Amino acid sequence: MYYIGIDIGTSSVKVLAIDEAGKIVKTVSREYPISYPFPLWSEQNPNDWWEQSKLALKDILEYIDKDKVKSIGFSGQMHGLVILDSEDNVIRPAILWNDQRTESECRFLNNDIGKDKLLSWTANIALNGFTAPKVLWVKQNEPDNFKKIAKICLPKDYIAYKLSGEFATDYSDASGTLYLDVKNKKWSDDMMKILDIDENKLPKLYDSFSAIGTIKKDIATELGLPTDVKIVIGGGDQAVAAVGGGIVENHHCSISLGTSGAVFATSDEFVMEDEGKLHVFCDARGKYHVMGVTLSAAASLKWYVEDFLKASSYDEVLTEVEKSDIKENVYYLPYLSGERTPHNDPDAKATFLGMTVRHERKDMTRALLEGVCYSLRDCYELMHEVGINPKEIIINGGGAKNDFWCQMLADVLHTKIKKLDINEGPALGAAILASVGDGKYSSVSNACQDIIKTTKEFTPDEVSSKIYSEKYKKYKSLYPMLKDFFSSL
């Protein structure tokens, strides 16, 4: 038997198949473009997701017995706005999670409606990336498009709808819309009134491991699959990456060191940070999680190596940083796309500080890696404030491939970090959820205990941790000093 996970990422779709023992059989990726039509805008064509998902599925089905595919699960980039008309046509390009156009809408929600009300209704405050401000933006700037809306989808839910014909979402992904009552797991009546949308325009809510239906007959025929293949709704990428990392018990913690960086911790009970600096979402196991996000984690390294340095290889740059001195006071603020946690400031800018004539490239590289770690520590410190104190962290994402960066993060957070034997994150989590939705496992926890293994540990070095703690204090002082300057640019 086979279970397939589909991860609708920002730059590509990844499709992964596991067998009944949980072993990865094959992984396939297909890229699609991102459009930046105006400053701060970030859009994609949902039909590109669909076409590339079908091609990736066809590729992966060449390697397995199609008749033994039991279910398909999903993970997806969160917060994206996909709007369909009454004939299920996409009305306009999807507005993505990293789009920053909604500053005035967020100001209206946070200031005019009020953060206290938003927190009581949804457990979160308005951020540029969230879906609700995007809905308001369309209403205010594209009224003709707003009038056409018959369905409002999130990215992965659009693909699930195309495969199954079921208009559905899950609690974890819905948590990032800012119109879900997270604590009570239902659409917020108050937020729907503010957005001027009816509940019939919103998908039905499910747990992430729920089968919402079976594959449509015409799609089954096109792909050569049985018509009884179950479609399991899955969840938002961070929640599903946590499943792919085995983060399924109370106060488990993971860090995703991907394009963006996320500190994710589970909680069996609903908890909330008073000022809304942490996201409080439902998780993929049917309970809750809190999460802090830095918008440019591995994206900072990619920009630095490819665009700024125009270096021939990452290895060249990352190898020399190991010879740099930890005591150098060069700092980097990783705000290439503004910042989310804890500042919620789209005007924040990436900045190098403290360089002198004697500093070299290796010192800048170290500062960049440290800056991302400090930004993640900002998130981690907030976890402690709500009573979550993990004993260890599971790390995933592309940045986790570099052991030096993993050790640095363990030292900065003063917490043991473990690396997975397989670093497939959301796609693997989606396949695991598919197996639970098919009944292979009785719970997400049982599935992960059977499938997920760790290989390498990074234990904090006490001397380095003390040095980083002192440098972190200096790092924390920089944003308050530069905030007004950023906003004036």
Side-chain angles (χ1 to χ4, degrees):
M1 304 301 174
Y2 298 101
Y3 306 98
I4 292 177
I6 299 178
D7 175 33
I8 305 299
T10 307
S11 58
S12 65
V13 57
K14 178 181 285 187
V15 180
L16 177 150
I18 60 173
D19 61 21
E20 58 187 1
K23 180 181 178 182
I24 296 174
V25 178
K26 183 66 178 178
T27 302
V28 173
S29 293
R30 287 267 183 168
E31 295 183 351
Y32 33 67
I34 304 175
S35 174
Y36 306 102
F38 298 102
L40 303 180
W41 288 32
S42 181
E43 300 183 340
Q44 282 180 324
N45 182 350
N47 290 318
D48 288 342
W49 304 334
W50 174 233
E51 293 302 325
Q52 295 306 315
S53 293
K54 284 196 296 181
L55 289 172
L57 277 168
K58 289 176 182 178
D59 288 345
I60 211 160
L61 291 173
E62 294 295 322
Y63 292 88
I64 60 178
D65 186 342
K66 299 176 183 178
D67 292 333
K68 292 183 178 180
V69 174
K70 299 295 292 181
S71 56
I72 300 173
F74 296 89
S75 166
Q77 50 171 300
M78 297 180 70
H79 317 302
L81 176 67
V82 184
I83 49 177
L84 309 180
D85 65 18
S86 58
E87 296 181 353
D88 288 344
N89 297 310
V90 175
I91 295 171
R92 69 167 331 280
I95 305 177
L96 302 188
W97 62 274
N98 56 350
D99 188 284
Q100 298 288 311
R101 78 183 71 178
T102 59
E103 183 176 355
S104 64
E105 288 76 19
C106 288
R107 191 182 306 116
F108 164 74
L109 290 168
N110 287 327
N111 298 339
D112 294 5
I113 301 302
K115 291 182 180 180
D116 289 343
K117 287 182 178 178
L118 295 180
L119 288 168
S120 67
W121 295 340
T122 72
N124 295 280
I125 63 172
L127 302 176
N128 279 332
F130 283 4
T131 319
K134 297 179 174 74
V135 175
L136 280 180
W137 185 91
V138 174
K139 180 183 178 183
Q140 294 165 4
N141 295 274
E142 298 177 352
D144 290 340
N145 283 338
F146 187 80
K147 291 175 184 177
K148 296 177 186 176
I149 296 176
K151 293 182 176 71
I152 300 176
C153 303
L154 294 163
K156 68 136 184 13
D157 302 328
Y158 177 70
I159 305 303
Y161 181 57
K162 296 285 283 186
L163 279 174
S164 69
E166 297 294 330
F167 186 40
T169 192
D170 77 294
Y171 296 112
S172 74
D173 214 0
S175 297
T177 62
L178 200 68
Y179 43 85
L180 182 79
D181 177 348
V182 172
K183 183 177 182 179
N184 298 301
K185 297 187 176 181
K186 66 184 185 69
W187 296 121
S188 167
D189 292 330
D190 295 294
M191 284 302 298
M192 286 190 289
K193 289 177 183 177
I194 289 169
L195 300 176
D196 194 18
I197 57 176
D198 299 323
E199 189 167 351
N200 60 14
K201 294 180 179 178
L202 301 179
K204 185 177 179 180
L205 290 158
Y206 291 87
D207 281 314
S208 300
F209 48 83
S210 298
I212 60 171
T214 55
I215 193 168
K216 292 167 60 178
K217 289 183 180 179
D218 60 327
I219 303 300
T221 299
E222 180 180 352
L223 297 175
L225 288 169
T227 57
D228 63 349
V229 171
K230 293 177 182 176
I231 303 300
V232 176
I233 191 60
D237 53 4
Q238 296 299 331
V240 180
V243 173
I247 309 301
V248 290
E249 304 296 341
N250 192 36
H251 289 198
H252 273 192
C253 182
S254 69
I255 287 181
S256 174
L257 202 53
T259 301
S260 60
V263 183
F264 178 108
T266 56
S267 177
D268 287 350
E269 305 298 327
F270 177 82
V271 296
M272 190 169 69
E273 194 269 331
D274 290 342
E275 298 181 26
K277 292 179 180 179
L278 287 174
H279 306 333
V280 182
F281 291 170
C282 301
D283 70 4
R285 64 200 176 113
K287 297 183 180 177
Y288 299 97
H289 75 258
V290 293
M291 182 170 68
V293 176
T294 179
L295 291 176
S296 299
S300 284
L301 183 62
K302 183 177 187 297
W303 161 80
Y304 176 70
V305 173
E306 296 182 10
D307 299 328
F308 183 72
L309 294 180
K310 299 188 184 302
S312 58
S313 74
Y314 280 77
D315 288 344
E316 171 194 348
V317 176
L318 291 173
T319 297
E320 69 180 19
V321 76
E322 297 179 25
K323 300 176 183 178
S324 63
D325 187 351
I326 189 175
K327 295 182 180 180
E328 289 292 342
N329 280 300
V330 180
Y331 293 87
Y332 170 75
L333 302 181
Y335 307 148
L336 286 174
S337 300
E339 188 56 300
R340 186 172 295 181
T341 308
H343 306 305
N344 187 21
D345 184 357
D347 292 326
K349 303 294 189 293
T351 310
F352 280 101
L353 300 99
M355 290 181 292
T356 68
V357 69
R358 64 184 177 77
H359 287 122
E360 303 174 15
R361 184 173 76 172
K362 64 183 180 182
D363 302 305
M364 292 182 68
T365 307
R366 171 181 275 278
L368 184 141
L369 299 182
E370 286 184 8
V372 172
C373 291
Y374 296 145
S375 182
L376 292 169
R377 179 165 170 175
D378 279 343
C379 303
Y380 195 58
E381 295 287 329
L382 289 171
M383 302 286 181
H384 296 327
E385 290 183 18
V386 297
I388 296 175
N389 297 287
K391 295 181 179 179
E392 61 186 31
I393 297 169
I394 299 294
I395 193 167
N396 60 62
K401 295 177 183 178
N402 183 264
D403 285 355
F404 183 82
W405 208 357
C406 291
Q407 182 62 55
M408 177 185 286
L409 190 57
D411 294 339
V412 169
L413 300 182
H414 201 236
T415 306
K416 180 188 294 184
I417 285 178
K418 290 185 176 181
K419 188 183 291 192
L420 300 173
D421 62 341
I422 298 172
N423 190 22
E424 294 292 349
L428 176 58
I432 291 172
L433 290 171
S435 71
V436 177
D438 185 55
K440 165 69 175 174
Y441 294 97
S442 60
S443 69
V444 178
S445 179
N446 287 341
C448 289
Q449 288 175 13
D450 195 32
I451 295 172
I452 305 300
K453 311 295 180 187
T454 59
T455 55
K456 186 175 286 189
E457 294 186 359
F458 301 89
T459 302
D461 177 81
E462 293 298 328
V463 174
S464 296
S465 288
K466 288 180 180 179
I467 295 172
Y468 285 131
S469 289
E470 290 302 312
K471 294 180 75 173
Y472 175 64
K473 292 177 184 177
K474 296 178 182 177
Y475 169 89
K476 286 197 69 174
S477 71
L478 296 175
Y479 172 79
M481 290 191 292
L482 293 169
K483 180 180 179 180
D484 291 341
F485 172 69
F486 291 149
S487 63
S488 71
L489 298 177

